[in-house]
Amino acid sequence: MTGAAGFIGSHLAHALVQAGTVVIGVDRRDPGADPIAAANLAPLRSFPGYLHVTADLIGCAIDPLLIDADAVFHLAGIPGVRPSWGAQFSDYVASNILATKRLLDSAVRMRVPRLVVASSSSVYGATDGGPSVETDHPRPTSPYAVTKLAEEQLCLAHAAQSHSPTTVVALRYFTVYGPRQRTDMFAHRALLAALTGQPLRLYGDGHQRRDFTYIDDTVAATIAAATAPEAHGVINVGGGSNASLLEVIGIASSLAGRDIELHQESPRHGDVPITCAHPGHAHEVLGWKPQVDLHNGMRAHMQTLAAEPAVYSRAA
Ligand code: NAD
Ligand code: UGA
């Protein structure tokens, strides 16, 4: 799997090795030099079935990593909507598109039967507020979302070649939260503000809504995508808890027993007012439904944030 030192990837690797699967995890962040990568990978250290490789998919040899692989989980990428407008855009293109092409070429060459790729709810763009269905016309509103759409479509194009030995499932994750969430993300920041009393920056009026998806639900859908025989194409992974940022602030505040001081700033370009997943296809094809509601998910998120190493307590 790729992106193993990241938020979602490290949880996925942990669930897989716990189930007895042998996992080769690849990530360009070196746990020897990057404290968040080290903390994310710490729970995997005791599993002999986990092998970690620090390598950049933009240039590393990929074929040897895929020998006899039953599936590839491709979670490596540059996430985050807002920074994608800046100079970092070339990094988004390199990791989300060019590196994905190298991985795909290798997966096909090595005859890997299934590739599961992390796509994003952001490909839908600004919707009318109703649930997004996989067949809706994508209208990305940020450079990040454009690269995620290119990434998933590149994967699907490879799988559609008549000789391709690799089927592809592109999972459109909807705002994933839970322990070890990236420190740039809102739920993490709201919980941190509630725990520490630091102010919280709020971009816009807080009425924007997200289909918050708990990490364990996300991992369950991702594993199902690798094993469900009929699964292929695009599948939404979301629909657990649709809530506004103000509601998230309210939950964080009540869990910690402390009011959160808000510093309101202007809305950020590319942020959409609402994401909302139609979960029907995931249920039909993967037999998957989200299990964890926002209140319980945030409680678990907060408990680990309070107990976790200081590394997660520094907001990005
Ligand atoms: P993350 O940043 O925590 O993890 C991504 C990992 O990929 C990082 O550890 C990074 O070092 C690695 N990586 C990036 N480029 C690489 C390269 N060229 N070679 C090797 N490793 C590389 O992010 P995350 O939140 O865990 O997201 C994982 C994936 O899911 C991303 O593709 C993201 O776009 C997608 N996604 C995330 C969310 C979410 O809510 N977190 C929602 C939708 C989609
Ligand atoms: C998240 C991830 O960051 C993306 O990588 C992912 O692709 C996307 O979900 C997805 O679902 O596809 P986003 O929904 O923007 O993107 O999630 P957050 O970064 O947590 O932001 C949610 C909202 O909170 C946005 O409106 C943002 O402007 C706001 N926000 C964020 C703040 O008000 N303050 C902050 O400090 C951070």
Side-chain angles (χ1 to χ4, degrees), residues 168-222:
V168 164
V169 185
L171 299 176
R172 291 181 177 165
Y173 295 144
F174 283 67
T175 312
V176 184
Y177 73 102
R180 313 205 292 265
Q181 190 189 40
R182 295 191 337 258
T183 56
D184 60 295
M185 292 186 70
F186 187 76
H188 168 87
R189 289 185 170 184
L191 287 168
L192 193 61
L195 279 170
T196 63
Q198 289 165 11
L200 174 65
R201 266 180 296 169
L202 181 63
Y203 305 138
D205 61 9
H207 288 289
Q208 60 268 51
R209 303 183 74 83
R210 293 289 179 271
D211 240 13
F212 292 95
T213 313
Y214 191 62
I215 182 65
D216 292 359
D217 285 331
T218 307
V219 165
T222 308

Side-chain angles (χ1 to χ4, degrees), residues 30-46:
D30 177 0
D34 182 315
I36 288 191
N40 286 348
L41 291 167
L44 289 159
R45 265 196 233 121
S46 57

Side-chain angles (χ1 to χ4, degrees), residues 119-310:
S119 184
S120 159
S121 72
S122 64
V123 305
Y124 289 113
T127 67
D128 62 7
S132 296
V133 182
E134 288 83 348
T135 48
D136 287 352
H137 187 65
R139 291 187 181 83
T141 56
S142 70
Y144 163 72
V146 170
T147 66
K148 293 306 283 185
L149 184 60
E151 177 178 0
E152 63 162 49
Q153 294 301 317
L154 196 58
C155 293
L156 296 174
H158 273 70
Q161 293 179 102
S162 56
H163 64 274
S164 176
T166 308
T167 54
V168 164
V169 185
L171 299 176
R172 291 181 177 165
Y173 295 144
F174 283 67
T175 312
V176 184
Y177 73 102
R180 313 205 292 265
Q181 190 189 40
R182 295 191 337 258
T183 56
D184 60 295
M185 292 186 70
F186 187 76
H188 168 87
R189 289 185 170 184
L191 287 168
L192 193 61
L195 279 170
T196 63
Q198 289 165 11
L200 174 65
R201 266 180 296 169
L202 181 63
Y203 305 138
D205 61 9
H207 288 289
Q208 60 268 51
R209 303 183 74 83
R210 293 289 179 271
D211 240 13
F212 292 95
T213 313
Y214 191 62
I215 182 65
D216 292 359
D217 285 331
T218 307
V219 165
T222 308
I223 293 174
T227 50
E230 303 304 320
H232 66 98
V234 171
I235 304 179
N236 287 340
V237 173
S241 296
N242 201 277
S244 70
L245 301 191
L246 294 178
E247 287 170 294
V248 169
I249 291 167
I251 295 173
S253 187
S254 78
L255 284 168
R258 185 205 297 264
D259 285 342
I260 296 177
E261 185 190 339
L262 296 178
H263 285 189
Q264 202 167 341
E265 298 186 13
S266 55
R268 293 306 195 246
H269 292 301
D271 271 348
V272 292
I274 180 165
T275 64
C276 179
H278 194 297
H281 192 47
H283 187 224
E284 194 183 319
V285 177
L286 305 179
W288 175 85
K289 269 188 183 173
Q291 304 293 320
V292 181
D293 68 26
L294 187 59
H295 197 274
N296 284 323
M298 283 187 66
R299 186 178 16 233
H301 189 164
M302 174 171 270
Q303 278 163 355
T304 53
L305 186 58
E308 260 166 356

